[in-house]
Amino acid sequence: MIIRQKNLFICSAIILAAAALTACGGSSDSKKTVSSAAKQFSSSSSMITATSSSSSLAVRQEIPISKDIFYKEPGLWLAFTHLDATRRFPQNDVQKPFREERLRETSVNTYIFASESESIAPGVCVLTPSAFDEAKLLPAFVGSELYCITNNRFFHEPDNSYTMEYRCENELVMTTRIVKLSDQSRFQDLGLTLSDAQVQQPACASWNISTFEAWFLDKDGKEIEREGRAGMLNKIFIRTGVDNNSKVITFTRYEDPLSVGVFNITPASISQLLLQNVDAQVSSPNASVPFIPGIHFPGRKGELRIDTFTPLSLSGNFNMEDTFGGGSLSGSFSFDFRQYFKEVPTPQ
């Protein structure tokens, strides 16, 4: 999600907008005609392909998106989204005849589709049928007058995975690949160890890498100088447990993407000013689950150390505490989903 800054603003929602990153709003009239400005929109993208082998007799099929696909059997799923969009504007400036805006984003999410149950708390990483709709299930390139309303197509792949493609003026701007990891509606031991347990915990993980820049170009499209960049919300979500006792650990950086390095944990108001810092929270999975002081708390002090950070792998450790309420938590994490996806360029 992009924080508004000057005239650089656009929205994109990561997988499971309701259960992970919060989408920012576009036009309220989803059926309106795409503006003339949007017709200047151009993009490049990568097609994300599952690494599983497929039958030579199987074919890719376009199908309607349906709740039955995900709730017919319980399961744990993994999704990877790649967004690469560019829009160029002519300018009345001989020295800088073009201005170009570039949005780049990847996100990875693990999540469960589960039946309604007292032992399940919907929210981050968990969706029940009552929470299902197409917009919340899959990422949405949320258009406004500045960009466009996308045409979305859903495919069943030969290896039994799924793909959602998002097109703007017939240009592919975003692709989401969805792979089933398990038939059981519970998290796996994906790589989280907490200090209060000392053993690997079943967990889900989601994170994004997002940038939005504007450049001035010459008449041949070569870069002259960067005009600026918009502030981005870059997040890591880690959840343990699927019931009301779940913990959701969230780290947020307000400007650049998270990266390999050490970040001080500070309150959100300070993290937004000191951009090498991060905001950290330990929270309940959704607003209907009570907030328990000492168990759920804002991190006011501590450190996040990231050793590996790529679109599909993440590792590091953290310690945080609430200096007012007495809550504290520390641990280490290592998530690697590279075996499930690979990226290949889209044919031009």
Side-chain angles (χ1 to χ4, degrees), residues 267-288:
S269 58
I270 299 175
S271 297
Q272 292 184 59
L273 296 174
L274 303 176
L275 300 179
Q276 188 59 23
N277 293 5
V278 297
D279 172 28
Q281 305 279 337
V282 181
S283 60
S284 51
N286 63 55
S288 67

Side-chain angles (χ1 to χ4, degrees), residues 14-15 21 79-82 105-109 139 207-209 311:
I14 310 301
I15 290 202
L21 308 184
F80 181 50
T81 295
H82 184 279
E105 186 170 281
T106 62
S107 67
V108 62
N109 294 78
W207 65 88
N208 68 300
I209 302 174

Side-chain angles (χ1 to χ4, degrees), residues 198-343:
Q198 294 299 321
V199 294
Q200 274 206 343
Q201 302 292 299
C204 77
S206 302
W207 65 88
N208 68 300
I209 302 174
S210 306
T211 60
F212 186 47
E213 297 180 332
W215 287 79
F216 292 119
L217 311 176
D218 64 16
K219 61 181 179 62
D220 297 319
K222 296 180 180 179
E223 296 175 355
I224 298 174
E225 64 178 297
R226 191 177 72 177
E227 180 196 30
R229 61 191 308 170
M232 307 287 288
L233 283 182
N234 283 273
K235 289 178 174 281
I236 298 171
F237 287 94
I238 302 172
R239 175 174 173 172
T240 61
V242 297
D243 58 15
N244 286 344
N245 296 319
S246 303
K247 289 180 181 178
V248 180
I249 308 164
T250 308
F251 300 102
T252 305
R253 193 177 186 194
Y254 291 93
E255 183 71 14
D256 296 326
L258 286 153
S259 60
V260 171
V262 179
F263 302 86
N264 291 324
I265 291 173
T266 54
S269 58
I270 299 175
S271 297
Q272 292 184 59
L273 296 174
L274 303 176
L275 300 179
Q276 188 59 23
N277 293 5
V278 297
D279 172 28
Q281 305 279 337
V282 181
S283 60
S284 51
N286 63 55
S288 67
V289 177
F291 185 92
I292 305 173
I295 302 298
H296 307 138
F297 61 90
R300 303 180 191 275
K301 181 181 178 181
E303 182 179 277
L304 168 67
R305 179 184 297 272
I306 298 179
D307 299 319
T308 304
F309 193 76
T310 76
L312 287 167
S313 60
L314 171 67
S315 68
N317 58 75
F318 65 92
N319 63 82
M320 69 175 87
E321 59 180 287
D322 179 2
T323 53
F324 294 157
S328 65
L329 187 67
S330 62
S332 61
F333 51 87
S334 180
F335 303 103
D336 191 341
F337 302 130
R338 288 174 294 181
Q339 64 179 305
Y340 299 104
F341 302 99
K342 65 180 180 180
E343 294 183 65

